Amino acid sequence: MEMTVDASKARSSVLPMAIVALLFFVLGFATWLNGSLMPYLKQMLQLSPFQASLVLFSFYIAVTFTALPSAWVIRKVGYKNGMALGMAIMMLAGLLYIPAAQTQTFALFLLAQLVIGTGQTLLQTAVNPYVVKIGPEDTAAVRISIMGILNKTAGVVAPLVFTALIVSGFSAPADAVLTPEQIDEMAASLVGPYLGLAVFLALLALAVKYSPLPELPKEQDGARGMAQLKAALAKPSLVLGVLSLFVYVAVEVIAGDTIGLFALSLGVERYTVMTSYTMVCMVLGYVLGIVLIPRLLSQQQALASSAVLGLVLTLVVALGDSSSYAISNALLVPFGGTALPDTLLFIAVLGLANAIVWPAVWPLALSGLGSLTSIGSALLIMGIAGGAFGPLFWGLLSGTGLGQQGAYLVMLPCYALILFYAVKGHQLQSWN
């Protein structure tokens, strides 16, 4: 019989947290590969910015359809088995990229993205509440921040690995019109790495399945089906938390994944590594969160500060001079770095503004849910669907007179909603 968290309080939680930390790294690695894959496919298949945004849309839209079923699965099989099953689905998705690359079929790439998004959703639904519930509620943001460091460190590593394994042998300029031979070369380079990813995920799923990871106590069934959903939707702090996560993931994905597309449009050669810049700033933000929360800032204050910084940076990015290299010449070039347009650096710094939002919203939204925790977690996970629509709207606006740079204004209302949740929304107890 598996021991429960309550029955194992005397035991160290180091091993369970280490296992969960590895899962967060895997989540981050698979997620932030999109930042390199999207512009790579854009160049390989000659896609428009809108078509390229469908790569992210397919990945994140899976959340909309699978979050609530994921909660049902977890109630049936438990949190640990849910984690293992989620990775198994991600493994199957890794195998789908192989025929997609071999046939150079955009629709197959989108299907693979949809399947890996489904596996991610199940894994996220299981692992996030685990981190919240395994320790004191008032330090949950710190624990999630620690997991976030692993997740976003994977986001730094993933584009570098992608570039080393897939892009390093390809030398065509970023703005070149490719020959059929070059397209075949780009496609073939995807097969080996995605096969390796699938094998790794399969082994990790088995390892988690048979690990000593303790199971969370089973929740009381309480209300079922639609009645349970209705009870959860009656809590404004949860519903507004879901909306806050929706717009947060929208801006997080815009900052992390469209930076490569924008860099490609500016003629930056190493566009596949640009996501790493944003992820470095996110890691810095998580470290600051661990240091400051709750010693100097409450979770609410940190959330409000992040929203304000996001509003300011959005205006700087959208209205700034994309031809200026002054900041990178001063900060990067003297230390051997590559000169980049300053606008790209400001997009990367959005990672700092975004870092604290996820770990701050989760404990605020789950507070006091009791037996509704799993359905609340599923609804919060549904907020990840914002990653589908944020880049999609950015892509649509890019085709207007605003261009790709002006399209970043789509982030303004998102940060405004996050600010409202930090200041007032999380305190609301009823809709009356």
Side-chain angles (χ1 to χ4, degrees), residues 99-122:
Q102 291 174 331
T103 62
Q104 298 169 25
T105 304
F106 187 45
L108 275 179
F109 279 111
L110 297 183
L111 176 61
Q113 289 287 94
L114 183 66
V115 175
I116 200 170
T118 298
Q120 288 258 16
T121 302
L122 181 55

Side-chain angles (χ1 to χ4, degrees), residues 36-52 55 106 178 186 260-261 264-265 271 404:
S36 299
L37 180 65
M38 182 171 62
Y40 191 80
L41 291 181
K42 181 182 186 298
Q43 186 179 24
M44 185 179 85
L45 302 178
Q46 300 295 292
L47 306 174
S48 69
F50 174 73
Q51 288 174 316
V55 174
F106 187 45
L178 303 180
M186 291 185 75
L261 280 181
L264 179 63
S265 74
Y271 61 85
Q404 290 190 32

Side-chain angles (χ1 to χ4, degrees), residues 254-279 281 313 316-318 320-325 327-328 332 338-351 394 404-405 408:
I254 288 173
D257 288 343
T258 69
I259 187 173
L261 280 181
F262 188 38
L264 179 63
S265 74
L266 296 177
V268 175
E269 295 299 328
R270 289 175 58 82
Y271 61 85
T272 57
V273 302
M274 290 308 304
T275 295
S276 294
Y277 287 80
T278 306
M279 294 300 104
C281 291
L313 286 172
V316 173
V317 167
D321 182 4
S322 62
S323 64
S324 172
Y325 285 72
I327 296 177
S328 67
L332 299 181
T338 303
L340 295 170
D342 293 342
T343 305
L344 293 178
L345 297 183
F346 285 121
I347 295 173
V349 177
L350 279 166
W394 176 86
Q404 290 190 32
Q405 183 175 356
Y408 284 101

Side-chain angles (χ1 to χ4, degrees), residues 149-361:
I149 289 176
L150 271 296
N151 184 280
K152 268 52 183 184
T153 298
V156 176
V157 173
L160 299 177
V161 172
F162 185 96
T163 301
L165 296 180
I166 297 174
V167 184
S168 59
F170 185 73
S171 58
D175 55 355
V177 177
L178 303 180
T179 65
E181 291 76 17
Q182 288 175 318
I183 293 174
D184 289 341
E185 179 186 352
M186 291 185 75
S189 65
L190 291 170
V191 174
Y194 274 97
L195 178 60
L197 178 64
V199 171
F200 173 76
L201 289 171
L203 294 175
L204 187 57
L206 290 173
V208 170
K209 167 68 177 175
Y210 296 105
S211 73
L213 190 67
E215 184 61 86
L216 287 177
K218 287 188 176 180
E219 300 168 4
Q220 298 298 319
D221 287 339
R224 293 180 178 272
M226 292 305 297
Q228 188 179 43
L229 178 60
K230 182 178 180 181
L233 295 178
K235 297 183 177 295
S237 59
L238 171 63
V239 174
L240 293 174
V242 173
L243 292 176
S244 295
L245 286 187
F246 181 90
V247 297
Y248 154 69
V249 178
V251 295
E252 180 190 43
V253 175
I254 288 173
D257 288 343
T258 69
I259 187 173
L261 280 181
F262 188 38
L264 179 63
S265 74
L266 296 177
V268 175
E269 295 299 328
R270 289 175 58 82
Y271 61 85
T272 57
V273 302
M274 290 308 304
T275 295
S276 294
Y277 287 80
T278 306
M279 294 300 104
V280 166
C281 291
M282 290 201 76
V283 170
L284 176 60
Y286 276 110
V287 172
L288 289 175
I290 293 172
V291 172
L292 299 178
I293 301 172
R295 297 177 183 88
L296 300 178
L297 291 175
S298 67
Q299 293 172 158
Q300 299 93 311
Q301 290 170 330
L303 186 60
S305 299
S306 296
V308 171
L309 179 59
L311 288 168
V312 172
L313 286 172
T314 295
L315 292 173
V316 173
V317 167
L319 304 178
D321 182 4
S322 62
S323 64
S324 172
Y325 285 72
I327 296 177
S328 67
N329 284 335
L331 298 180
L332 299 181
V333 175
F335 300 97
T338 303
L340 295 170
D342 293 342
T343 305
L344 293 178
L345 297 183
F346 285 121
I347 295 173
V349 177
L350 279 166
L352 181 64
N354 295 337
I356 300 300
V357 179
W358 181 272
V361 169

Side-chain angles (χ1 to χ4, degrees), residues 48-61:
S48 69
F50 174 73
Q51 288 174 316
S53 71
L54 294 177
V55 174
L56 296 176
F57 182 84
S58 297
F59 180 87
Y60 288 101
I61 198 62

